[in-house]
Every structure is written in structure tokens, then in C-alpha cells.
Amino acid sequence: MSNSREDSHVGEENTNDVIPLEGVQEVEEASRDDDGVEQSSNKKKRGMREPSYVWGHFTKVTINSELKAKCNHCQAKLVASGHNGTSHLDRHLKKSCKAKGVPSVLDSLQKTLSVTRKDDGPSCIETREFDPIVARQKIATLVGKHELPLNFVEYEAFRDLMSYANPLVKNLSRNTLKSEIFKLYQAEKAKAMALLENNDSRVAITTDMWTASNQKKWYMVVTGHFVDKSWRLQSRILRFIYLPASHTAEFLSEAFFKCMLDWNVDRRISVVTLDNCSTNDAIVDRLMGLISVDSMLMGGNFFHMRCVTHILNLIVKDEMKVIEEWIKKIRDSVAYWTGTPKRVETFEMAARQLQVKCEKKLVLDCVTRWNSTYVMLDVAVKYKIVFSRLQQRDKHYTSLPTDEEWEMAEKMLEYLLPFYSMTELFSGTQYPTSNLFFPMICEMRINLDEWDLSNVHVVREMTGQMIMKFDKYWAQIHGILVMAVILDPRFKIQLVNYYFPQLYGEGAANEIQRVRNLSNDLVKFYEVKSGNVSDAVVGEFSSADVCFNFNLGTGRKFFDIRKFEAFASQNSETIVSKSDLERYLEEPLIKSTSNFDILNWWKVNQGKYPILAQMAKDILAIPVTAVASESTFSTGGRVLTPHRSRLHPTTLEALMCTQHWLWVNSKGKILESEIFNGEEFVDEDESGPQALEYFF
């Protein structure tokens, strides 16, 4: 088979050459002679073939009228007739030659010096034998992990480098590389499946869909989230599915269910987190009919989780139109001073002259993304004095905002900061988010009531519409999120006691009792599953039993951890210890610190509260957003560039999943700051703690 032809687009592959993901068969390499040397597409005549390297180690001799090949090292005599080829001579040199004290020339060429360091000890130099199979695997890892094009291995400079590093390296074609990537995909998938199978906790699922603009094709990504045996929060992409048919709820639910069956997690799902839309509601309804209700958490009443950040976006986005006229000049000013490199340089020079202490650069917002508008305003107000100075120097700059408009922008930043911080906080995948939802959302609802009493007309108008949408989307709090905060040793049931009187007034006592009943029933559910209580009976639940309705509350400042701790110290409870839950609630609250690790706390205390620890593993792994799945599409956009628009869907899935799994295995956890660095996503290792500091 000849080497792959160069495509008209750099990095593309031939879509007619499709390799299935399951049962991958290796693509045949270029034709080889008996020695394994790659041949060109125009096969040379036998009489013109180049001599094999083995004849540098053998001498042809005639013994009893028969041609033999005598080994120059061990004097062994092997058949040397033309029709026998040279493969057996090659095998002798590699495996059989036992010349004492005379190292094989081939072995000396294959061995290289390498520097190794084990267990943080001193570095040492040792010899290592070159293995062409390992070399091909490492090249496939390089291409898959760092989003390199498939024809990278055909770059002249790369081949020169490999030839210089080791003359024994044989050139790869893009088809051979693709075969190696599929092998790598299968190996990494097996590791991910083994990790899930050996884990005893439930798996929370997030999913989202994406249209590849270069291909005009739809894809659905499915991601699993769980806490492993070492109490580390883990995420794994399960599938990156091409959706060729109409995107009906029936088709999407069947594709999703097939993925669950393939990964054997259909009976271990805790919740499914989806964007808030009618199609997703229909998908959940169909999945409830496909998955056994007996295997679901509490009979499936917790099955559907709506994406929190998507709802936040719906609440805030339309209300930004109310302040559009107030920020128009600020947007025009930013657009003017970022319009050309010369203007940017002029603006930065003026900022230095005025000694403005702001290292951030001006950034123009995307009008359809309210959080980008927030970032634009946040930076622009810091350069307010610079805009004023530049108006005196540039007669073409005519959109300087008035003092009143700057004041309004600062007020809007104050009101939008909680929404922006909540979006960052809930978008994290490096830490649990389910236990953070309840206090944040309660505080937000209470603060909206306070803002509704503002003496600024624009604020009242904007807040009134926010309250209507807030009550529409969060008229009910998902019961599993109430349980998550109870499993946080800093809060427990005391946080429910703290908030419910503000939210429910006189009806708070009944709502608190419902939380207690739900807690007890959930504990019984886990006791039955674990076999600790064989005769426990778990009651039937309706959707109302696992949700808690919001009423209008009174206004106060955002969440003050000191006020809550003061409340908790004055309202501690004494319970006659019986169950895990009762003993846990009887213990005093843990002091809240900025570096508190809830998973580590449960790891240390799992022996003390075994049933609750299993509950914590399942519930704290639940993401309240679908960002983990959505962020995958940032990588998809880079892998599927205009010059690589012919990537077959199966190849694209192999590249996407393999890259994710490789990064997870090398770092222990996925680092979106290294992979998913799209402009709409942030480094969670930094944003998460910063957002937490804002709230606590």
C-alpha cells in the first residue's frame, strides 16, 4: 500500500477511510520488504533492491555446494538462498546471537542513554533499548494530547528530527498514525471504564450539544462525575457522539441511553444535569421509561437537575436591556480605543502617565453574553479618568460617558457582582458545587427583595423582572441540594433552620420537618441498599416531597458566615444518638475556613459515619451546571478547524476523548486551564476560591 497522498487541506483526512471505534483494525502500512524496510508506491524490481543491513553482520559462504550466511559475531551458519529472504537473519541478530563478549552492532545502535529519576532521588544515567512500537505510541500520544494535525508525522522537519534522534526510526504515514491513535483510544477507554467499574459510588451525568460550524454537524458530549475511592472528585468524558438524524427527544434519549449501557452506568446514575429547555425535559421523561426505576436514587425523584448557570444567564440576560442606554457610550468608548493598535498604545501611555493602577486591558463585550458586559464595565470604570483626559487630546473621540452614566455603571457592577461570582463558583469542576448551591441561591433571593426597594428607578425596574424570572425557574429548590448542604459539616441542618424562617415565615416549621423527613428517608434508602437494615421501608415520594417552594423574604446583606455561626451557636440541638444521621447532626459544626476540603473531611470520618459517607460520595459529586460538558466544545472547535473540516466523526470522537483521558491520567484531574481555554471559561483553580471568598 502506498504512502498517504497529501490532501488539499493541511491536516485533513480522507473521509472515505473510516475506522470504526469498536474493534479497531490496524491500518496497513506502506509495503515492506523482508527486512521491514518501507517501500515506495512504485515497487522496485527485485534486481534493483537495495541490500539489507543484515549483510553487514553476515558473510556468504558455500558449504557442501549450499550457500550459507555465516554470522560475523557467533559464527553461526544460516540458510542464505535467495528465496528465503533475510527475515531469519534479522531475527538471529535481535534475539539469537549469543556471541560472548562481542556485543551486537544492532544492539549498540538500538540502545540509547537516558536520564531517570525515581522517588525524588538523584538522577542517574542508564541505557535503554529502542522499541519502535513504543516510539509509535508516544508519537500518537503527542499528537492526541496536544491537538496536532494528523499529517504532523509527514512534516519534513519532524522526520529530520526523528532521523537525527535515532536512525532506526521508521517514518509514519498519517493513516498509520490514525491507527495508533485508535489503539490509544481503546487503551485509555479501558482504563476509564475500569476506574468506573471498580468504584462503588454513583455517577452524576452532564450532557450538552454542539454544532460544528465547519461541518454543519451536531455532536453530543456526555460526561460522568464521581468521587473515587480516594475521595477525589473525578470527571470523565464518556462519549462525543455524532448526531446524524433529526434531533428529536426520542433519538437523543436513545443515543444517551446507549452510551449509559456501553459504560455500564445505567443502574448507577444519581442525577442528569441538563440545560433548561423543553427538549431536555422530554429527554428526561423518556429516560425515566428506559432506565429501571428501582436502580434510581429514591425512585428517580432526584433524576433531573437543571443547569444553574444556564438559568442565571436567562435571569440576567434580558434584564441587561434595561441599562442598555446607560452603558452605550461606555461600550462605544471601549470600541474606539481598542479599534487600532495605535489607539491601544495611546490609551496605555495615557494610563501610565495618570498612574492608573489597573493591569487589565480594555475588552469589548459580546452583547449576547451579559457576563462579558460585566467584565467590560468592570475594567472600563477603572480607567474613567483616562477616557476624560483623552477626549481633550483626540477630537475624533466623541463618546465620553457623563458622570451620571459612570455612576450608573458602578451601581450595575455592584448589583451584578453576586450573579457573576455565582456563575464562576458554580462552573467549577475541581471542587464539589452541590453543597454551595443552597446558601447561595437563598441569599440571592433575599437580596433581590432588598434591591427591589432601591431608590434608583432603573434598579427597581431591572430587579422586578429578575424576581419574576427567579421565581419562575427556582420556585422549587431541588431536594438533593438541600441534602448536600446538610452533609456539609460546616452547616448541617442549622443552615436550613437559619434560612427557612426568612423564606417561609410562619410556615418554616413545617418545611423544616419535611427536610428532616427527607433526610431520614434518604438514610433508610442507603441502609437498605447497603444491607444494614433489611426491614427498613422507604416511602413513596411525589415531586413536591423533594422540592421546597420559595416565598417572598425580607432583604438583608449577602451571606455573612459570622451571623450564621452566631445563630448556630445559640440554636444547637441535642439528639439521642441512634442512626448515623442523628449522631452526625449531634456533633458541633466545623469551623468554616477558606481552605476547607469537604471531601477530605468525609474521607477522614467515613469510618464514623459509613452510611452518610456513601451518601456524601454520591451527592457531593453532583455538578449543578453542565459546564463540564459544554467546555469540551472549546476543544472541539480547535480540533475541528476550517483546515480539518473533513475529520470523520469517529476520528473526532477518538481525538476528543483520548485527549481528555490523557490529561486526566497525567495530572490526576483534568485542568481546564491547560485544555479548555476558550474565552468564555476561566481557570477554576483561581476563580473558585476567589468566588468563595466573596460569598464567605
Side-chain angles (χ1 to χ4, degrees):
M1 178 177 174
S2 63
N3 287 338
S4 301
R5 64 175 179 82
E6 292 291 331
D7 291 326
S8 57
H9 296 291
V10 176
E12 291 181 3
E13 60 171 314
N14 193 335
T15 55
N16 294 326
D17 184 14
V18 180
I19 302 178
L21 287 178
E22 304 298 336
V24 175
Q25 299 295 324
E26 182 178 1
V27 179
E28 292 294 335
E29 293 189 74
S31 300
R32 300 179 182 275
D33 62 15
D34 292 335
D35 305 316
V37 179
E38 188 170 313
Q39 294 287 320
S40 63
S41 57
N42 298 321
K43 295 182 179 180
K44 298 180 180 180
K45 297 180 181 179
R46 290 188 177 274
M48 299 176 61
R49 292 178 64 181
E50 297 178 1
S52 173
Y53 78 92
V54 299
W55 294 116
H57 306 279
F58 287 89
T59 302
K60 291 183 179 181
V61 296
T62 302
I63 300 177
N64 298 328
S65 301
E66 185 178 355
L67 189 62
K68 297 286 186 179
K70 181 180 178 181
C71 178
N72 297 338
H73 308 298
C74 67
Q75 310 304 315
K77 301 175 181 62
L78 289 82
V79 178
S81 57
H83 64 275
N84 286 315
T86 57
S87 297
H88 62 301
L89 305 181
D90 177 60
R91 286 193 297 270
H92 173 81
L93 288 172
K94 291 180 178 179
K95 300 179 180 180
S96 305
C97 186
K98 302 296 183 181
K100 186 176 180 179
V102 185
S104 168
V105 175
L106 181 62
D107 289 341
S108 65
L109 285 174
Q110 285 186 320
K111 289 186 177 181
T112 57
L113 293 177
S114 63
V115 180
T116 60
R117 186 177 183 180
K118 298 179 180 179
D119 300 327
D120 297 327
S123 300
C124 60
I125 299 177
E126 59 183 20
T127 60
R128 181 180 63 231
E129 185 173 344
F130 173 75
D131 188 337
I133 297 177
V134 174
R136 286 161 57 169
Q137 292 172 348
K138 289 188 176 296
I139 292 173
T141 301
L142 170 68
V143 172
K145 193 172 183 178
H146 297 287
E147 302 173 11
L148 299 174
L150 295 182
N151 70 341
F152 173 77
V153 293
E154 296 177 348
Y155 289 176
E156 181 181 355
F158 173 75
R159 289 186 169 182
D160 287 345
L161 171 64
M162 297 303 293
S163 178
Y164 174 78
N166 193 325
L168 295 178
V169 174
K170 297 173 182 177
N171 293 330
L172 301 180
S173 68
R174 74 183 70 178
N175 281 338
T176 302
L177 172 63
K178 186 168 67 173
S179 172
E180 292 296 328
I181 288 176
F182 275 106
K183 291 178 183 178
L184 184 61
Y185 165 83
Q186 293 293 341
E188 293 300 322
K189 181 179 180 180
K191 293 179 185 177
M193 294 185 76
L195 178 63
L196 279 169
E197 290 174 0
N198 294 330
N199 205 50
D200 58 355
S201 62
R202 288 182 177 265
V203 181
I205 303 296
T206 59
T207 184
D208 204 355
M209 286 182 289
W210 171 61
T211 303
S213 58
N214 296 321
Q215 287 188 333
K216 305 301 180 185
K217 292 179 179 179
W218 278 75
Y219 294 89
M220 178 170 69
V221 64
V222 181
T223 309
H225 310 265
F226 57 97
V227 175
D228 64 19
K229 291 184 177 181
S230 299
W231 286 88
R232 294 176 300 178
L233 185 62
Q234 300 281 1
S235 296
R236 293 294 187 277
I237 293 179
L238 306 183
R239 288 291 307 274
F240 194 86
I241 310 169
Y242 168 54
L243 304 173
S246 58
H247 309 135
T248 63
E250 179 180 3
F251 177 81
L252 295 175
S253 59
E254 289 178 356
F256 180 92
F257 182 61
K258 184 179 183 299
C259 174
M260 298 298 99
L261 291 177
D262 291 343
W263 282 78
N264 194 30
V265 295
D266 56 301
R267 300 183 63 84
R268 296 168 52 199
I269 300 175
S270 56
V271 303
V272 177
T273 303
L274 301 162
D275 280 350
N276 186 66
C277 67
S278 57
T279 301
N280 286 339
D281 292 341
I283 291 174
V284 170
D285 290 340
R286 290 191 60 83
L287 287 174
M288 293 284 287
L290 294 172
I291 299 175
S292 172
V293 176
D294 293 338
S295 67
M296 294 182 181
L297 190 61
M298 297 292 284
N301 285 306
F302 295 144
F303 190 71
H304 186 195
M305 176 80 69
R306 301 181 189 276
C307 178
V308 172
T309 55
H310 186 246
I311 295 177
L312 281 174
N313 186 61
L314 293 174
I315 291 173
V316 180
K317 184 175 65 175
D318 292 340
E319 277 56 68
M320 292 295 292
K321 297 176 183 177
V322 176
I323 63 171
E324 189 67 29
E325 61 179 287
W326 291 93
I327 63 175
K328 183 179 184 302
K329 285 187 178 180
I330 297 178
R331 179 181 288 120
D332 292 343
S333 296
V334 173
Y336 182 84
W337 290 110
T338 58
T340 65
K342 181 64 176 177
R343 291 176 187 170
V344 171
E345 183 179 346
T346 301
F347 188 90
E348 292 177 349
M349 183 179 298
R352 287 193 297 270
Q353 291 174 350
L354 294 171
Q355 298 181 346
V356 176
K357 297 181 179 180
C358 181
E359 297 180 357
K360 296 181 179 179
K361 293 186 177 181
L362 292 177
V363 56
L364 187 62
D365 68 333
C366 173
V367 293
T368 60
R369 290 188 173 274
W370 73 268
N371 51 342
S372 69
T373 303
Y374 173 87
V375 173
M376 179 189 72
L377 294 176
D378 186 45
V379 176
V381 295
K382 294 178 173 63
Y383 290 109
K384 179 169 57 174
I385 188 175
V386 180
F387 288 108
S388 179
R389 172 65 66 87
L390 289 175
Q391 188 193 34
Q392 303 171 10
R393 298 172 52 180
D394 189 338
K395 63 180 181 180
H396 298 292
Y397 172 46
T398 59
S399 54
L400 178 68
T402 64
D403 291 341
E404 187 179 10
E405 288 170 331
W406 282 120
E407 183 180 354
M408 180 58 66
E410 291 172 349
K411 285 184 177 295
M412 290 302 103
L413 286 173
E414 178 184 349
Y415 289 116
L416 292 175
L417 176 59
F419 288 97
Y420 183 80
S421 298
M422 283 175 65
T423 300
E424 286 192 329
L425 182 66
F426 292 149
S427 298
T429 59
Q430 304 293 305
Y431 49 86
T433 56
S434 57
N435 60 312
L436 303 176
F437 174 85
F438 180 78
M440 298 299 100
I441 215 64
C442 289
E443 285 292 342
M444 181 56 67
R445 181 62 183 84
I446 292 171
N447 275 267
L448 284 176
D449 291 326
E450 183 182 79
W451 301 343
D452 198 34
L453 301 176
S454 172
N455 56 5
V456 181
H457 171 72
V458 175
V459 174
R460 291 198 307 273
E461 182 181 356
M462 182 180 70
T463 304
Q465 296 181 25
M466 283 184 174
I467 290 175
M468 291 177 59
K469 286 197 172 183
F470 193 101
D471 291 344
K472 174 184 177 182
Y473 293 117
W474 277 319
Q476 295 181 322
I477 305 177
H478 200 295
I480 201 72
L481 299 177
V482 181
M483 285 304 306
V485 80
I486 292 176
L487 290 171
D488 191 324
R490 298 170 297 175
F491 303 134
K492 301 184 180 179
I493 194 69
Q494 292 288 12
L495 196 68
V496 177
N497 296 338
Y498 177 69
Y499 276 119
F500 273 23
Q502 301 176 60
L503 295 172
Y504 296 107
E506 295 180 356
N510 292 333
E511 297 300 329
I512 292 172
Q513 187 58 47
R514 289 179 59 208
V515 172
R516 290 184 180 276
N517 293 340
L518 177 60
S519 303
N520 290 329
D521 287 331
L522 193 58
V523 169
K524 290 179 181 179
F525 175 85
Y526 274 86
E527 287 176 342
V528 170
K529 293 295 182 181
S530 66
N532 289 352
V533 181
S534 58
D535 58 346
V537 178
V538 180
E540 296 294 330
F541 294 89
S542 65
S543 60
D545 289 322
V546 294
C547 298
F548 300 91
N549 297 317
F550 266 142
N551 289 337
L552 292 178
T554 56
R556 52 188 285 281
K557 293 183 179 180
F558 221 79
F559 185 47
D560 190 336
I561 189 66
R562 297 181 186 87
K563 286 187 177 181
F564 164 70
E565 290 176 344
F567 169 86
S569 64
Q570 297 172 7
N571 294 272
S572 59
E573 301 181 10
T574 301
I575 304 173
V576 178
S577 299
K578 291 182 179 179
S579 67
D580 266 12
L581 177 62
E582 291 169 335
R583 289 189 289 107
Y584 166 75
L585 294 178
E586 187 182 38
E587 293 289 331
L589 299 181
I590 300 299
K591 182 70 175 177
S592 181
T593 59
S594 59
N595 61 349
F596 176 74
D597 186 341
I598 186 172
L599 293 180
N600 186 62
W601 189 91
W602 277 107
K603 178 181 180 180
V604 173
N605 291 275
Q606 60 182 323
K608 190 176 182 180
Y609 311 111
I611 299 298
L612 293 187
Q614 188 59 53
M615 290 171 53
K617 258 191 177 182
D618 295 345
I619 294 175
L620 296 178
I622 297 173
V624 297
T625 75
V627 167
S629 291
E630 183 183 350
S631 60
T632 306
F633 302 138
S634 295
T635 303
R638 297 197 306 273
V639 172
L640 203 61
T641 63
H643 294 296
R644 306 176 73 188
S645 58
R646 291 171 57 194
L647 279 174
H648 192 275
T650 54
T651 306
L652 179 60
E653 178 174 2
L655 289 169
M656 296 292 297
C657 294
T658 302
Q659 183 198 48
H660 175 91
W661 297 333
L662 287 171
W663 277 109
V664 168
N665 292 338
S666 64
K667 298 294 185 181
K669 287 185 178 181
I670 195 72
L671 295 181
E672 279 83 354
S673 59
E674 298 187 27
I675 304 175
F676 308 136
N677 55 3
E679 60 183 10
E680 61 191 287
F681 300 103
V682 292
D683 184 349
E684 293 158 9
D685 288 332
E686 297 180 359
S687 68
Q690 289 176 357
L692 267 174
E693 289 176 4
Y694 168 77
F695 288 111
F696 296 102

PDB file of all heavy atoms in Angstrom, residues 33-37 49-57 86-87 89-90:
ATOM      1  N   ASP A  33       9.747  -4.717   2.566  1.00  0.00           N
ATOM      2  CA  ASP A  33      10.475  -5.887   2.090  1.00  0.00           C
ATOM      3  C   ASP A  33      10.646  -6.860   3.254  1.00  0.00           C
ATOM      4  O   ASP A  33      10.101  -6.664   4.328  1.00  0.00           O
ATOM      5  CB  ASP A  33      11.830  -5.471   1.499  1.00  0.00           C
ATOM      6  CG  ASP A  33      12.722  -4.822   2.542  1.00  0.00           C
ATOM      7  OD1 ASP A  33      12.415  -4.949   3.745  1.00  0.00           O
ATOM      8  OD2 ASP A  33      13.717  -4.211   2.138  1.00  0.00           O
ATOM      9  N   ASP A  34      11.365  -7.884   3.063  1.00  0.00           N
ATOM     10  CA  ASP A  34      11.501  -8.907   4.092  1.00  0.00           C
ATOM     11  C   ASP A  34      12.158  -8.382   5.362  1.00  0.00           C
ATOM     12  O   ASP A  34      12.032  -8.964   6.422  1.00  0.00           O
ATOM     13  CB  ASP A  34      12.333 -10.096   3.557  1.00  0.00           C
ATOM     14  CG  ASP A  34      11.570 -10.837   2.476  1.00  0.00           C
ATOM     15  OD1 ASP A  34      10.328 -10.756   2.479  1.00  0.00           O
ATOM     16  OD2 ASP A  34      12.220 -11.485   1.644  1.00  0.00           O
ATOM     17  N   ASP A  35      12.900  -7.276   5.241  1.00  0.00           N
ATOM     18  CA  ASP A  35      13.600  -6.729   6.393  1.00  0.00           C
ATOM     19  C   ASP A  35      12.766  -5.702   7.133  1.00  0.00           C
ATOM     20  O   ASP A  35      13.216  -5.133   8.114  1.00  0.00           O
ATOM     21  CB  ASP A  35      14.913  -6.068   5.946  1.00  0.00           C
ATOM     22  CG  ASP A  35      15.763  -7.037   5.162  1.00  0.00           C
ATOM     23  OD1 ASP A  35      15.879  -8.208   5.586  1.00  0.00           O
ATOM     24  OD2 ASP A  35      16.284  -6.617   4.129  1.00  0.00           O
ATOM     25  N   GLY A  36      11.561  -5.423   6.651  1.00  0.00           N
ATOM     26  CA  GLY A  36      10.716  -4.447   7.310  1.00  0.00           C
ATOM     27  C   GLY A  36      10.969  -3.035   6.845  1.00  0.00           C
ATOM     28  O   GLY A  36      10.486  -2.085   7.437  1.00  0.00           O
ATOM     29  N   VAL A  37      11.742  -2.837   5.749  1.00  0.00           N
ATOM     30  CA  VAL A  37      12.028  -1.503   5.246  1.00  0.00           C
ATOM     31  C   VAL A  37      10.877  -1.032   4.380  1.00  0.00           C
ATOM     32  O   VAL A  37      10.423  -1.744   3.497  1.00  0.00           O
ATOM     33  CB  VAL A  37      13.344  -1.487   4.438  1.00  0.00           C
ATOM     34  CG1 VAL A  37      13.612  -0.102   3.896  1.00  0.00           C
ATOM     35  CG2 VAL A  37      14.492  -1.970   5.315  1.00  0.00           C
ATOM     36  N   ARG A  49      16.724  -4.030  -5.883  1.00  0.00           N
ATOM     37  CA  ARG A  49      16.512  -3.790  -4.470  1.00  0.00           C
ATOM     38  C   ARG A  49      17.832  -3.484  -3.768  1.00  0.00           C
ATOM     39  O   ARG A  49      18.867  -4.063  -4.066  1.00  0.00           O
ATOM     40  CB  ARG A  49      15.853  -4.998  -3.811  1.00  0.00           C
ATOM     41  CG  ARG A  49      14.425  -5.216  -4.270  1.00  0.00           C
ATOM     42  CD  ARG A  49      13.818  -6.439  -3.631  1.00  0.00           C
ATOM     43  NE  ARG A  49      13.707  -6.271  -2.188  1.00  0.00           N
ATOM     44  CZ  ARG A  49      13.216  -7.203  -1.388  1.00  0.00           C
ATOM     45  NH1 ARG A  49      12.825  -8.368  -1.882  1.00  0.00           N
ATOM     46  NH2 ARG A  49      13.118  -6.992  -0.091  1.00  0.00           N
ATOM     47  N   GLU A  50      17.738  -2.584  -2.762  1.00  0.00           N
ATOM     48  CA  GLU A  50      18.928  -2.236  -2.004  1.00  0.00           C
ATOM     49  C   GLU A  50      19.282  -3.385  -1.062  1.00  0.00           C
ATOM     50  O   GLU A  50      18.412  -4.056  -0.530  1.00  0.00           O
ATOM     51  CB  GLU A  50      18.684  -0.967  -1.197  1.00  0.00           C
ATOM     52  CG  GLU A  50      18.412   0.244  -2.071  1.00  0.00           C
ATOM     53  CD  GLU A  50      18.139   1.470  -1.238  1.00  0.00           C
ATOM     54  OE1 GLU A  50      18.183   1.363   0.008  1.00  0.00           O
ATOM     55  OE2 GLU A  50      17.888   2.534  -1.831  1.00  0.00           O
ATOM     56  N   PRO A  51      20.592  -3.636  -0.818  1.00  0.00           N
ATOM     57  CA  PRO A  51      20.983  -4.725   0.086  1.00  0.00           C
ATOM     58  C   PRO A  51      20.513  -4.436   1.507  1.00  0.00           C
ATOM     59  O   PRO A  51      20.509  -3.296   1.951  1.00  0.00           O
ATOM     60  CB  PRO A  51      22.510  -4.731  -0.015  1.00  0.00           C
ATOM     61  CG  PRO A  51      22.867  -3.355  -0.459  1.00  0.00           C
ATOM     62  CD  PRO A  51      21.768  -2.913  -1.359  1.00  0.00           C
ATOM     63  N   SER A  52      20.120  -5.498   2.215  1.00  0.00           N
ATOM     64  CA  SER A  52      19.652  -5.349   3.588  1.00  0.00           C
ATOM     65  C   SER A  52      20.819  -5.055   4.516  1.00  0.00           C
ATOM     66  O   SER A  52      21.964  -5.419   4.250  1.00  0.00           O
ATOM     67  CB  SER A  52      18.948  -6.624   4.023  1.00  0.00           C
ATOM     68  OG  SER A  52      18.632  -6.563   5.390  1.00  0.00           O
ATOM     69  N   TYR A  53      20.516  -4.394   5.637  1.00  0.00           N
ATOM     70  CA  TYR A  53      21.560  -4.053   6.601  1.00  0.00           C
ATOM     71  C   TYR A  53      22.186  -5.310   7.210  1.00  0.00           C
ATOM     72  O   TYR A  53      23.307  -5.276   7.740  1.00  0.00           O
ATOM     73  CB  TYR A  53      20.976  -3.182   7.714  1.00  0.00           C
ATOM     74  CG  TYR A  53      20.193  -3.954   8.747  1.00  0.00           C
ATOM     75  CD1 TYR A  53      20.806  -4.432   9.903  1.00  0.00           C
ATOM     76  CD2 TYR A  53      18.842  -4.236   8.550  1.00  0.00           C
ATOM     77  CE1 TYR A  53      20.108  -5.161  10.842  1.00  0.00           C
ATOM     78  CE2 TYR A  53      18.133  -4.960   9.480  1.00  0.00           C
ATOM     79  CZ  TYR A  53      18.756  -5.416  10.631  1.00  0.00           C
ATOM     80  OH  TYR A  53      18.050  -6.132  11.551  1.00  0.00           O
ATOM     81  N   VAL A  54      21.472  -6.451   7.182  1.00  0.00           N
ATOM     82  CA  VAL A  54      21.977  -7.655   7.857  1.00  0.00           C
ATOM     83  C   VAL A  54      23.278  -8.152   7.244  1.00  0.00           C
ATOM     84  O   VAL A  54      24.066  -8.822   7.929  1.00  0.00           O
ATOM     85  CB  VAL A  54      20.929  -8.787   7.822  1.00  0.00           C
ATOM     86  CG1 VAL A  54      19.663  -8.363   8.542  1.00  0.00           C
ATOM     87  CG2 VAL A  54      20.628  -9.233   6.403  1.00  0.00           C
ATOM     88  N   TRP A  55      23.510  -7.824   5.968  1.00  0.00           N
ATOM     89  CA  TRP A  55      24.728  -8.324   5.333  1.00  0.00           C
ATOM     90  C   TRP A  55      25.974  -7.632   5.860  1.00  0.00           C
ATOM     91  O   TRP A  55      27.098  -8.021   5.543  1.00  0.00           O
ATOM     92  CB  TRP A  55      24.636  -8.194   3.815  1.00  0.00           C
ATOM     93  CG  TRP A  55      23.569  -9.091   3.248  1.00  0.00           C
ATOM     94  CD1 TRP A  55      22.430  -8.728   2.608  1.00  0.00           C
ATOM     95  CD2 TRP A  55      23.550 -10.517   3.303  1.00  0.00           C
ATOM     96  NE1 TRP A  55      21.680  -9.812   2.257  1.00  0.00           N
ATOM     97  CE2 TRP A  55      22.359 -10.949   2.677  1.00  0.00           C
ATOM     98  CE3 TRP A  55      24.410 -11.486   3.826  1.00  0.00           C
ATOM     99  CZ2 TRP A  55      22.008 -12.279   2.560  1.00  0.00           C
ATOM    100  CZ3 TRP A  55      24.068 -12.813   3.702  1.00  0.00           C
ATOM    101  CH2 TRP A  55      22.866 -13.204   3.084  1.00  0.00           C
ATOM    102  N   GLY A  56      25.762  -6.609   6.706  1.00  0.00           N
ATOM    103  CA  GLY A  56      26.909  -6.031   7.401  1.00  0.00           C
ATOM    104  C   GLY A  56      27.343  -6.871   8.580  1.00  0.00           C
ATOM    105  O   GLY A  56      28.411  -6.637   9.169  1.00  0.00           O
ATOM    106  N   HIS A  57      26.519  -7.892   8.922  1.00  0.00           N
ATOM    107  CA  HIS A  57      26.807  -8.755  10.066  1.00  0.00           C
ATOM    108  C   HIS A  57      26.955 -10.225   9.658  1.00  0.00           C
ATOM    109  O   HIS A  57      27.213 -11.060  10.512  1.00  0.00           O
ATOM    110  CB  HIS A  57      25.690  -8.629  11.110  1.00  0.00           C
ATOM    111  CG  HIS A  57      25.416  -7.218  11.526  1.00  0.00           C
ATOM    112  ND1 HIS A  57      26.185  -6.554  12.452  1.00  0.00           N
ATOM    113  CD2 HIS A  57      24.481  -6.324  11.102  1.00  0.00           C
ATOM    114  CE1 HIS A  57      25.720  -5.329  12.606  1.00  0.00           C
ATOM    115  NE2 HIS A  57      24.690  -5.169  11.794  1.00  0.00           N
ATOM    116  N   THR A  86      15.667 -12.444   4.161  1.00  0.00           N
ATOM    117  CA  THR A  86      16.630 -12.106   5.222  1.00  0.00           C
ATOM    118  C   THR A  86      15.967 -11.932   6.586  1.00  0.00           C
ATOM    119  O   THR A  86      16.624 -11.532   7.542  1.00  0.00           O
ATOM    120  CB  THR A  86      17.365 -10.796   4.867  1.00  0.00           C
ATOM    121  OG1 THR A  86      16.394  -9.748   4.682  1.00  0.00           O
ATOM    122  CG2 THR A  86      18.204 -10.965   3.613  1.00  0.00           C
ATOM    123  N   SER A  87      14.664 -12.213   6.699  1.00  0.00           N
ATOM    124  CA  SER A  87      13.968 -12.021   7.974  1.00  0.00           C
ATOM    125  C   SER A  87      14.565 -12.896   9.062  1.00  0.00           C
ATOM    126  O   SER A  87      14.695 -12.474  10.223  1.00  0.00           O
ATOM    127  CB  SER A  87      12.478 -12.325   7.828  1.00  0.00           C
ATOM    128  OG  SER A  87      11.872 -11.423   6.931  1.00  0.00           O
ATOM    129  N   LEU A  89      17.611 -13.884   9.289  1.00  0.00           N
ATOM    130  CA  LEU A  89      18.899 -13.312   9.688  1.00  0.00           C
ATOM    131  C   LEU A  89      18.690 -12.143  10.653  1.00  0.00           C
ATOM    132  O   LEU A  89      19.444 -11.967  11.621  1.00  0.00           O
ATOM    133  CB  LEU A  89      19.675 -12.857   8.452  1.00  0.00           C
ATOM    134  CG  LEU A  89      19.911 -13.922   7.367  1.00  0.00           C
ATOM    135  CD1 LEU A  89      20.708 -13.319   6.215  1.00  0.00           C
ATOM    136  CD2 LEU A  89      20.642 -15.138   7.950  1.00  0.00           C
ATOM    137  N   ASP A  90      17.657 -11.364  10.369  1.00  0.00           N
ATOM    138  CA  ASP A  90      17.326 -10.237  11.244  1.00  0.00           C
ATOM    139  C   ASP A  90      16.940 -10.733  12.638  1.00  0.00           C
ATOM    140  O   ASP A  90      17.371 -10.184  13.659  1.00  0.00           O
ATOM    141  CB  ASP A  90      16.188  -9.432  10.617  1.00  0.00           C
ATOM    142  CG  ASP A  90      15.740  -8.289  11.491  1.00  0.00           C
ATOM    143  OD1 ASP A  90      16.576  -7.419  11.792  1.00  0.00           O
ATOM    144  OD2 ASP A  90      14.548  -8.263  11.877  1.00  0.00           O
TER     145      ASP A  90
END
